[in-house]
Amino acid sequence: MSLRHAVLGLLAEAPASGYDLMKLFNASLSNVWPATQSQVYGELTKLTTAGLVEVAAHGPRGRKEYAITNDGMAELHHWLTEVEPSGPQRHDGLLRVFFLGVVTPLEAQTYLLHQAERAARTRATLEHIEETAEWDEEMISVYGRIALEYGLRMSATQEEWARWAADEVTSAKARKASELARSQHKEGRQSPEE
């Protein structure tokens, strides 16, 4: 449902064509809620059918400019103020951490250092956006900058945690836990006659 609300939010600032919305998505929302052109155009059709947006103007070559309706504003307001964010329920990267004792400490450390590098690349990308974006007084710029700060802080924290964890998996305690898990697995595979 968040694509629906992302489109409504963008249209709450100003009417836009599907092409304009894609440019806005790519410039501002793609790091938090990526969408393809077909998804955005499909959502515009659904929103129009639901009466949440309307075609406000027609242009050359079949270009349509969409505007949010009063019902659309009410839906956006409801979503912003009354619907609890779901947040990430699943994170397969962290799920893997629970089972790193199955691999060697070097493999576990390599995995975690790779995660640290991914976080560092993400932060570098966000820093580039921060430096090159044309921040103005419009709603998407002001609040987009606040959302960007979240990404900067989270990626820095993720990198710091992954580097700390990479050191932890080589600690004596982690090595002992891994050895115990591997020995239990070996014992379980041996037949009672052995």
Side-chain angles (χ1 to χ4, degrees):
M1 291 300 286
S2 289
L3 177 58
R4 163 177 285 219
H5 297 102
V7 171
L8 288 173
L10 291 173
L11 291 175
E13 186 167 17
S17 68
Y19 176 78
D20 295 333
L21 287 172
M22 278 311 304
K23 282 177 29 183
L24 284 169
F25 257 96
N26 292 333
S28 60
L29 301 181
S30 64
N31 287 312
V32 294
W33 202 266
T36 64
Q37 182 176 352
S38 62
Q39 289 172 322
V40 169
Y41 279 93
E43 196 58 48
L44 282 170
T45 300
K46 292 176 193 173
L47 290 167
T48 303
T49 301
L52 302 177
V53 302
E54 62 189 4
V55 177
H58 291 274
R61 295 181 301 282
R63 181 182 186 275
K64 296 177 186 175
E65 186 171 88
Y66 296 87
I68 192 167
T69 64
N70 289 338
D71 287 346
M73 282 298 286
E75 171 60 24
L76 181 61
H77 185 268
H78 168 75
W79 178 72
L80 286 168
T81 61
E82 297 178 36
V83 177
E84 190 68 29
S86 61
Q89 298 297 314
R90 297 179 176 163
H91 190 304
D92 74 327
L94 282 178
L95 179 61
R96 293 169 198 228
V97 172
F98 278 94
F99 308 114
L100 286 177
V102 172
V103 299
T104 67
L106 179 59
E107 289 171 318
Q109 187 176 49
T110 300
Y111 169 77
L112 289 162
L113 289 174
H114 176 72
Q115 298 308 304
E117 291 304 315
R118 281 184 60 196
R121 286 192 303 272
T122 297
R123 192 176 71 252
T125 299
L126 295 175
E127 286 171 346
H128 177 73
I129 292 170
E130 181 181 41
E131 294 166 4
T132 59
E134 295 181 22
W135 303 107
D136 56 29
E137 301 301 316
E138 298 293 323
M139 179 186 74
I140 296 299
S141 284
V142 172
Y143 292 97
R145 175 63 190 85
I146 292 170
L148 179 67
E149 184 64 27
Y150 173 86
L152 288 166
R153 292 180 187 204
M154 286 301 293
S155 57
T157 298
Q158 289 168 344
E159 180 184 4
E160 179 186 345
W161 170 83
R163 292 192 188 286
W164 169 83
D167 287 340
E168 285 293 304
V169 297
T170 60
S171 71
K173 189 175 186 177
R175 285 181 185 275
K176 184 176 179 181
S178 295
E179 289 167 10
L180 178 62
R182 285 194 294 273
S183 69
Q184 288 174 339
H185 177 69
K186 285 180 185 176
E187 289 173 13
R189 290 182 57 188
Q190 293 176 349
S191 68
E193 300 148 4
E194 293 180 321

